[in-house]
């Protein structure tokens, strides 16, 4: 399990930062006649979905079995909203409420947004909807850029801020101590810098430098800026399928890597050039890490092959020829 998932807060008390927002949330749920449709917006990796889950458990007493998390990057049509409407007719299994978390809701179609008007206004006393987005402006606009005022007025809107520098330092320090990860002050400060207040980015960065032999190697990987809020879970899964790495216990798999490419190409959330460069940076991190110089190690051998084959297609002097090039480079790396 990745550090970000392992150390994800389970309650509001465990969350760092956003003190004023949490007080606002407490006041909201203290009112007997509060809104059941809520928008959480903020930069990627700042904890919107985590906050929605923590609020659901702490103020609504909802168990995981009654929380339905929907990825609107793939489920963004009117038929998908109809499924949510049907689910809202069912009473909760073990809790008093059903909770629906619509992640990346800016990707919903105009028809889907229109279909959500009634559930947001009159979804039943036992249903709550949390919308999470990095782009509220896009969420509140129609296909032609017009503002969807009807949806705007139905949602309580809360902004989730990035962590302050002091909260970022507390987070990284706590996780590093718990995981016995030894890093220098320079590496510690670099993680805070590249993380830009995003808990996810900082813990991904910490995980990537764990076990590397020297401070120079750690700073080199961090400076490559492969740690990015914009790097989706699918992109990271592609790198793991391609070469494993960073102690996660996953072995390279061509079939999984190709499945990841197919999924990302279909969903249109990534571009092939960025993925190629990310794969090379990931491979570099493995080779600079613990036992990376031992090419008898399957992961090191695979990382070296990725660098050799991907560099032919994704160096800075080449243009992006498309997904077929990423597919070719991936197959060549396994040959």
């Amino acid at each position: 399990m990745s550090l970000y998932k392992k150390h994800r807060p389970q309650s509001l008390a465990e969350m760092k930062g956003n003190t004023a927002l949490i007080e606002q949330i407490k006041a909201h749920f203290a009112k007997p006649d509060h809104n059941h449709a809520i928008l959480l917006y903020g930069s990627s990796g700042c904890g919107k979905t985590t906050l929605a889950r923590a609020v659901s458990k702490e103020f609504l007493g909802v168990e995981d079995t009654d929380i339905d998390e929907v990825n609107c990057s793939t489920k963004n049509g009117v038929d998908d909203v109809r499924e949510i409407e049907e689910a809202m007719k069912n009473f909760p299994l073990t809790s008093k409420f059903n909770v629906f978390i619509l992640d990346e809701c800016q990707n919903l179609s105009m028809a889907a947004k229109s279909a959500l008007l009634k559930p947001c206004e009159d979804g039943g006393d036992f249903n709550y909807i949390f919308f999470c987005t990095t782009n509220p402006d896009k969420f509140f606009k129609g296909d032609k850029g017009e503002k969807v005022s009807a949806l705007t007025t139905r949602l309580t809107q809360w902004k989730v801020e990035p962590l302050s520098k002091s909260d970022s330092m507390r987070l990284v320090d706590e996780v590093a101590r718990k995981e016995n990860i030894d890093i220098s002050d320079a590496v510690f400060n670099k993680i805070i810098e590249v993380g830009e207040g995003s808990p996810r980015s900082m813990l991904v960065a910490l995980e990537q430098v764990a076990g590397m032999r020297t401070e120079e190697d750690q700073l080199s990987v961090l400076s490559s800026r492969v740690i990015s809020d914009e790097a989706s879970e699918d992109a990271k899964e592609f790198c793991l399928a391609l070469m494993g790495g960073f102690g996660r216990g996953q072995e390279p798999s061509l079939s999984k890597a190709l499945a990841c490419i197919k999924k990302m190409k279909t969903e249109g959330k990534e571009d092939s050039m960025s993925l190629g460069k990310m794969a090379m940076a990931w491979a570099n991190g493995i080779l600079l890490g613990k036992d990376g110089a031992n090419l008898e190690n399957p992961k090191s051998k695979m990382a070296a092959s990725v660098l050799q084959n991907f560099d032919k297609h994704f160096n800075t002097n080449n243009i992006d020829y498309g997904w077929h090039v990423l597919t070719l480079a991936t197959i060549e790396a396994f040959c």
Side-chain angles (χ1 to χ4, degrees), residues 190-196 198-210 212 218-232 236 246 248 277-278 281-282 285:
K190 191 65 176 178
I191 290 174
I192 304 303
E193 177 190 332
V194 301
E196 298 180 332
S198 164
R200 180 172 66 203
S201 286
M202 288 183 283
L203 295 188
V204 169
L206 179 63
E207 185 169 13
Q208 287 201 313
V209 301
M212 288 188 175
Q218 293 172 326
L219 290 173
S220 174
V221 168
L222 292 173
S223 296
S224 71
R225 299 305 298 260
V226 297
I227 323 301
S228 170
D229 278 344
E230 303 306 320
S232 68
K236 293 167 191 172
F246 304 115
R248 296 194 187 190
K277 291 182 177 179
M278 181 178 176
W282 194 286

Side-chain angles (χ1 to χ4, degrees), residues 245-303:
F246 304 115
R248 296 194 187 190
Q250 181 170 321
E251 296 302 319
S253 168
L254 177 59
S255 61
K256 289 182 180 179
L258 294 178
C260 287
I261 292 175
K262 181 179 180 180
K263 182 174 185 288
M264 290 184 288
K265 179 178 182 295
T266 301
E267 295 176 0
K269 294 189 296 181
E270 305 288 345
D271 68 89
S272 57
M273 179 63 84
S274 295
L275 286 165
K277 291 182 177 179
M278 181 178 176
M280 288 192 291
W282 194 286
N284 187 55
I286 291 175
L287 293 171
L288 293 176
K290 185 179 180 181
D291 298 327
N294 178 16
L295 292 183
E296 296 300 317
N297 182 329
K299 289 182 181 178
S300 296
K301 187 175 182 180
M302 190 65 203

Side-chain angles (χ1 to χ4, degrees), residues 4 38 42 85 141 144 155 159 193 206 213 274 304 313-314 320:
Y4 176 68
I38 296 162
E85 279 192 286
K141 288 181 180 179
K144 298 180 180 179
L155 304 182
K159 184 177 181 180
E193 177 190 332
L206 179 63
R213 295 187 295 273
S274 295
H313 303 288
F314 296 101
D320 183 3

Side-chain angles (χ1 to χ4, degrees), residues 39-50:
L39 173 71
L40 294 167
Y41 65 96
S43 58
S44 182
C46 67
K48 299 178 293 295
T49 306
T50 298

